[in-house]
Amino acid sequence: MFRMFRLQMFAEAIAGTKIVYLYRLLSKQATGSATGIAFATENGRTKSKDSNSTATKDGSVRTPGVAEGEITSTSLLAQGDTLLDDLEKAMDNNELVEVWEVNLAEPAEEGDNKFKAKYFQGYLTEKEITSNAEDNVEVSLTFGLQGDGADGEATVTQAQQEIAAYVFKDTQPTGA
């Protein structure tokens, strides 16, 4: 006799290309849309918390610290990329950056081009450019986040979705 267990039997793994990160300088929120970094090869979000331990006669007692978050991005350098220049200037000037982590595999129930997302604000804390003779130039970024972020739904245009995958295009002129 078979026993059925509710272990997400029909769950699917999410492809890494379906999680995209969009960025915008907070100072440009009134005039510009968020955009992705071209040729991203890897992104990540880390949340960590230190704790202190106090020895007592009954054993140690742990006191949790404050959670800290980071977002990392690694990409190949695209010729003419202005977003990376803007982010570096923001780093030099201690400007806040908005970051959206968008899951394109989970569309919102209502609304076109809306997807499950998490919103953050933080500072670019590290930028590294690596170039060697055999590979393309690689750029690595680290953002130190403020707070815990906020869950919601983000609007991701068709152009922004192209970051994650090719989108079918018709053979006719687009008029652009």
Side-chain angles (χ1 to χ4, degrees):
M1 175 174 241
F2 290 102
R3 286 187 162 220
M4 296 296 281
F5 296 99
R6 298 175 69 88
L7 301 175
Q8 298 183 354
M9 293 174 62
F10 301 105
E12 291 183 41
I14 297 173
T17 57
K18 292 298 184 180
I19 304 294
V20 297
Y21 287 79
L22 302 172
Y23 307 88
R24 175 175 66 195
L25 301 183
L26 184 63
S27 62
K28 294 186 177 184
Q29 72 179 27
T31 59
S33 296
T35 186
I37 295 173
F39 304 131
T41 57
E42 186 173 359
N43 290 306
R45 179 167 52 95
T46 304
K47 193 176 202 178
S48 63
K49 185 184 284 196
D50 290 332
S51 65
N52 294 320
S53 187
T54 305
T56 71
K57 293 178 183 181
D58 297 320
S60 65
V61 174
R62 299 201 51 82
T63 305
V66 177
E68 295 182 2
E70 283 189 340
I71 287 179
T72 58
S73 176
T74 304
S75 65
L76 302 179
L77 181 62
Q79 189 170 350
D81 190 319
T82 59
L83 175 60
L84 292 173
D85 294 337
D86 289 346
L87 289 172
E88 185 170 357
K89 288 175 191 166
M91 180 180 182
D92 294 340
N93 297 322
N94 299 320
E95 283 189 63
L96 273 172
V97 177
E98 297 175 292
V99 182
W100 289 263
E101 178 186 82
V102 183
N103 185 344
L104 297 178
E106 295 191 32
E109 289 183 26
E110 293 183 24
D112 282 342
N113 295 323
K114 287 211 177 262
F115 298 88
K116 179 179 177 182
K118 196 155 182 90
Y119 170 78
F120 301 94
Q121 290 183 357
Y123 295 96
L124 179 61
T125 59
E126 184 176 359
K127 178 181 177 184
E128 179 182 9
I129 297 176
T130 307
S131 58
N132 67 49
E134 297 176 1
D135 295 318
N136 293 314
V137 176
E138 189 174 82
V139 179
S140 297
L141 305 173
T142 302
F143 296 86
L145 303 177
Q146 296 195 135
D148 295 330
D151 293 323
E153 296 172 348
T155 301
V156 183
T157 65
Q158 284 299 124
Q160 290 167 326
Q161 290 178 48
E162 289 178 15
I163 295 167
Y166 285 109
V167 174
F168 181 83
K169 300 212 183 272
D170 200 353
T171 58
Q172 301 302 306
T174 62

